[in-house]
Amino acid sequence: MTPVLIKKATIIDKKSAFHNQIVDIKIENGIITEIAKEIASNDDFEVVEKENLHVSQGWFDSSVSFGEPGYEDRETIENGLKVAAKSGFTAVALQPNSFPIIDNQSHIKFVLDKAKNQATTLFPIGALTKNSEGQDLAELFDMKNAGAIAFGDYKRAIQDANIQKIALQYVQDFDGLIITYCQDNSLKGKGIVNEGIASTRLGLKGIPTLAEELHIARNLFLLEYTGGKLHIPTISTQKSIALIKEAKAKGLQVTCSVAIHNLVLNEEILSGFDSRYKVAPPLRDEATRKMLIEAILDNTIDCITSDHNPLDIEHKKLEFDMAKDGTIGLESAFGALLTILPLEIVIEKLTNAKTIFGIAQNTIAENTIAALSLFTPNEEGTFTKENILSKSKNSAFLGQQTKGKVYGIYNNGKLLV
């Protein structure tokens, strides 16, 4: 393991004694051994020097899909983790929406085995119900023992309130975390975009915000009844924010995330009927987008996810109503976020989810494990096809302005810049 010397780096880590200081960082055998204003280099060290270099705790994305097993044409675990590393993420939580669905311990072991010896660490999410069909609970305890960090059915809301209740009660025996996508399918109906003026103007069937909000209200009532821990991913409406804020004030153990595309884009971009912008939950109006940013700033929303979901061209480049929901987002995550949020908030929201999912959060200090993201906040540009590293190219951010640039990561004893 070659020792590494990071030169003249501004540390962004509020918990570190070196926050906002420009320092050199010496890393040996995966451990930060020295932090100082100036550290002499020698031939044994790999030296990292970049323009306006900044370093933070390693970023964690709480929702990525890769495809393997079953959909390797969309993305493999190996390439997906390389994309994550080059995008600045030292860890990702893998959704169970492969084929087969990751709903037992052998599947968990398979994806963990595939992720060995990579710079970015993979943490699997096990399906909450068998085959993510919402009928019977999957082998939650066995998956937890095999390495699953949480349980949820990706983009599939549990319609049966009793299944949701039993899941919340059951996982408390081993301090499990339930992830619940919130959507009332009967209210969604055949809707494909946000219900409102834009959907009417475009002639597209709308999904009322009530479809999300009613399920959030139900699940929060269930959480209050059962106790336990609940994470609500990718919230997208103003009432959802209010409901979660109220639940937190009551002392319920509830956390939530928002997808970057819901923070950066609004429904007006749908006017060209481009299916790259078809996502779940759908893009909302501009007033809601601004409210989501406010909820980030007041900490109602705990973390931000790319909600990275690679899809092949056969399922994405179709008529708008036929296309699958989803966009890739790892490569564009940092650059898109810096256009709407201050740097320290971006870093905080890209690292906060570790605490929610029970993953060690290493402050940048001497004698700690080195898990670092390397970047500059200043560079401005436009996100283009050349920036896409994923096998699938279904990015909603093509043509969008970006700010900042990722240099790479140091993690698991590996430097990738």
Side-chain angles (χ1 to χ4, degrees), residues 100-111:
I101 297 283
I102 300 170
D103 65 358
N104 63 53
Q105 61 178 326
S106 64
H107 295 156
I108 295 288
K109 288 173 180 172
F110 172 84
V111 296

Side-chain angles (χ1 to χ4, degrees), residues 356-371:
I356 297 166
F357 288 82
I359 297 165
Q361 199 166 2
N362 300 317
T363 301
I364 300 176
E366 291 178 353
N367 302 314
T368 61
I369 294 169

Side-chain angles (χ1 to χ4, degrees), residues 215-233:
H215 244 224
I216 286 182
R218 183 203 77 172
N219 290 333
L220 291 173
F221 269 118
L222 289 170
L223 180 65
E224 192 170 4
Y225 177 80
T226 60
K229 294 187 297 186
L230 180 66
H231 180 69
I232 301 175

Side-chain angles (χ1 to χ4, degrees), residues 38 40 71 74 95 101 121 146 156 169 174 197 224 326 364 383:
E38 187 77 39
Y71 301 122
R74 297 177 186 177
Q95 292 288 356
I101 297 283
T121 308
R156 298 190 190 184
Q169 289 171 325
F174 50 90
I197 294 168
E224 192 170 4
I364 300 176
F383 191 76

Side-chain angles (χ1 to χ4, degrees), residues 244-370:
I244 289 166
K245 188 178 283 190
E246 185 184 330
K248 287 185 171 187
K250 283 183 184 176
L252 298 184
Q253 287 193 78
V254 61
T255 55
C256 65
S257 70
V258 64
I260 296 171
H261 42 265
N262 287 101
L263 287 176
V264 175
L265 307 172
N266 68 31
E267 63 187 1
E268 294 304 319
I269 206 165
L270 300 174
S271 58
F273 298 95
D274 191 330
S275 59
R276 287 184 296 115
Y277 305 118
K278 190 182 182 201
V279 290
L283 300 177
R284 304 291 186 184
D285 59 31
E286 178 62 8
T288 300
R289 187 188 74 83
K290 287 178 176 173
M291 281 289 289
L292 289 166
I293 291 173
E294 285 300 314
I296 288 281
L297 297 173
D298 71 11
N299 290 320
T300 302
I301 295 176
D302 301 273
C303 57
I304 299 172
T305 174
S306 71
D307 205 22
H308 181 81
N309 188 7
L311 294 169
D312 51 76
I313 196 167
E314 288 84 3
H315 288 94
K316 197 62 181 172
K317 200 163 186 180
L318 300 167
E319 296 90 338
F320 198 92
D321 59 336
M322 301 291 289
K324 279 187 175 287
D325 298 314
T327 175
I328 57 172
L330 283 169
E331 301 97 311
S332 51
F334 180 67
L337 283 174
L338 264 193
T339 63
I340 55 165
L341 289 167
L343 176 63
E344 285 190 9
I345 300 292
V346 170
I347 301 305
E348 188 182 313
K349 297 301 179 181
L350 288 179
T351 54
N352 262 9
K354 290 180 188 174
T355 309
I356 297 166
F357 288 82
I359 297 165
Q361 199 166 2
N362 300 317
T363 301
I364 300 176
E366 291 178 353
N367 302 314
T368 61
I369 294 169

